Amino acid sequence: MALTMSDVDRFEASRPRLEAIAYRLLGSASEAEDAVQETFLRWQAADVERVEVPEAWLTKVLTNLCLNQLASARARRETYVGQWLPEPLLAGDPMLGPADTAEQRESVSYAVLVLLERLTPNERAVYVLREAFGYAHREIAGILDLTEAASQQIFHRARKHVADGRARTEIDQAAARRVVEEFLAAATSGKTEPLVRLLTQDAVSIGDGGGKVPARAKAFEGALAVATFMRGLFKPSEAKRRLVGGSSELYVTTANGEPALVAVVDGRVIGVMCLEITAEGIAAFRNQVNPDKLERANRRWAAADHDEPLLRIF
């Protein structure tokens, strides 16, 4: 049966929530968009008059599409060139979804999205639906064809895995910006010591170039190793200018709810560096430079107004 305008409107009203769920499940904005579009095609082919709760039906279809996608995605990531990181979502992107609680904000952070990669598909789905979107275990059980007790057990196991992987901290935006500015000042000072003082002892730096842009295959680990790398990264050179296609402007913003630096050359985003800031210092740098994973960031950047860049380098 053909969809009525009311049926289409009902789906479109659900689209932002569906995209936010799919992004958390897949860690990929482009794959999330594809999953939501496939959900619409299923909606279009369904006898919608017999669907009692459309929102629940759509969530079930989408979640199961994502679970199928996760299996093939894991196989692809085994052959991925270098480190794999999620696609970054810049401030204001509707795919970020709800951010009313600390749990919701944390669920879309780079730090947690990376940890979610360690979970089984079912663990990831239960964690996302419960922690980020507040679904009751009874509802999750219906979506995933589980018992309610199984959903509860899976959630507790998943939350423990995530909690074991990081210490939860929330730093207010003003304090986070000060830390980012201090980091930039230290990184461009030409000295290692000021950088080391800003980092936690077990700090890490990870770069995702996807084989398209040079990025180290192994993460830098430890404050001294990370500081040495950052000092070199921010040192201007003609070779770097040629590599990125000109002088780079650095802007301070947020990506996935975390403080971030966005590197822009001639209006084009060439890198997004998310900083994980804790009470003890900067714990991680996650730098996305794979151009395939910056397409959405570029669209968002081009459509928004920006303050003056904090720094021009290279």
Side-chain angles (χ1 to χ4, degrees), residues 18-259:
L18 296 175
E19 287 190 342
I21 292 172
Y23 174 73
R24 284 167 170 81
L25 289 176
L26 300 172
S28 166
S30 58
E31 290 178 5
E33 290 172 339
D34 291 343
V36 172
Q37 184 58 27
E38 180 61 28
T39 302
F40 175 74
L41 295 177
R42 302 285 179 95
W43 177 245
Q44 196 173 36
D47 184 356
V48 298
E49 290 185 359
R50 305 186 68 174
V51 176
E52 294 183 3
V53 185
E55 290 74 16
W57 188 95
L58 292 170
T59 303
K60 182 181 179 72
V61 170
L62 173 84
T63 301
N64 283 282
L65 285 170
C66 289
L67 290 178
N68 292 336
Q69 182 73 11
L70 276 175
S72 60
R74 292 194 173 198
R76 289 197 307 274
R77 285 166 198 171
E78 289 178 1
T79 59
Y80 192 80
V81 178
Q83 299 283 328
W84 182 93
L85 289 173
E87 290 184 43
L89 298 181
L90 299 183
D93 194 315
M95 196 175 279
L96 288 167
D100 297 326
T101 67
E103 290 79 12
Q104 288 172 336
R105 292 189 293 273
E106 186 179 58
S107 72
V108 79
S109 70
Y110 246 38
V112 167
L113 287 176
V114 169
L115 288 172
L116 292 182
E117 288 292 305
R118 305 178 186 178
L119 305 182
T120 67
N122 264 10
E123 286 174 341
R124 186 165 184 163
V126 172
Y127 181 88
V128 165
L129 291 172
R130 178 65 178 164
E131 192 83 340
F133 295 90
Y135 280 83
H137 284 293
R138 175 180 50 80
E139 296 172 300
I140 297 171
I143 291 169
L144 297 176
D145 295 325
L146 303 167
T147 66
E148 189 171 346
S151 175
Q152 292 171 337
Q153 291 172 353
I154 291 171
F155 174 69
H156 290 310
R157 187 165 63 242
R159 188 163 62 172
K160 183 178 186 304
H161 288 324
V162 173
D164 287 346
R166 70 189 298 261
R168 174 180 290 180
T169 55
E170 278 213 294
I171 307 295
D172 69 76
Q173 291 299 315
R177 184 181 177 91
R178 287 195 299 272
V179 173
V180 174
E181 291 174 348
E182 289 175 9
F183 161 70
L184 276 180
T188 55
S189 70
K191 300 177 182 179
T192 304
E193 294 79 9
L195 277 167
V196 171
R197 288 196 292 270
L198 291 175
L199 308 178
T200 61
Q201 289 187 345
D202 58 351
V204 297
S205 176
I206 303 169
D208 179 349
K212 307 289 182 69
V213 173
R216 193 169 187 260
K218 186 178 179 182
F220 290 93
E221 299 181 354
L224 182 58
V226 172
T228 302
F229 167 67
M230 288 296 168
R231 184 190 63 189
L233 180 65
F234 284 88
K235 184 178 181 180
S237 74
E238 185 58 36
K240 290 176 184 174
R241 278 190 288 271
R242 288 197 300 269
L243 178 64
V244 302
S247 295
S248 178
E249 298 176 332
L250 288 182
Y251 295 82
V252 178
T253 183
T254 60
N256 293 70
E258 297 177 310

Side-chain angles (χ1 to χ4, degrees), residues 279-296:
E280 289 73 38
I282 304 173
F285 300 90
R286 298 181 176 93
N287 192 20
Q288 183 57 261
V289 292
N290 182 347
D292 294 343
K293 296 185 179 182
L294 294 174
E295 292 181 1
R296 187 178 179 94

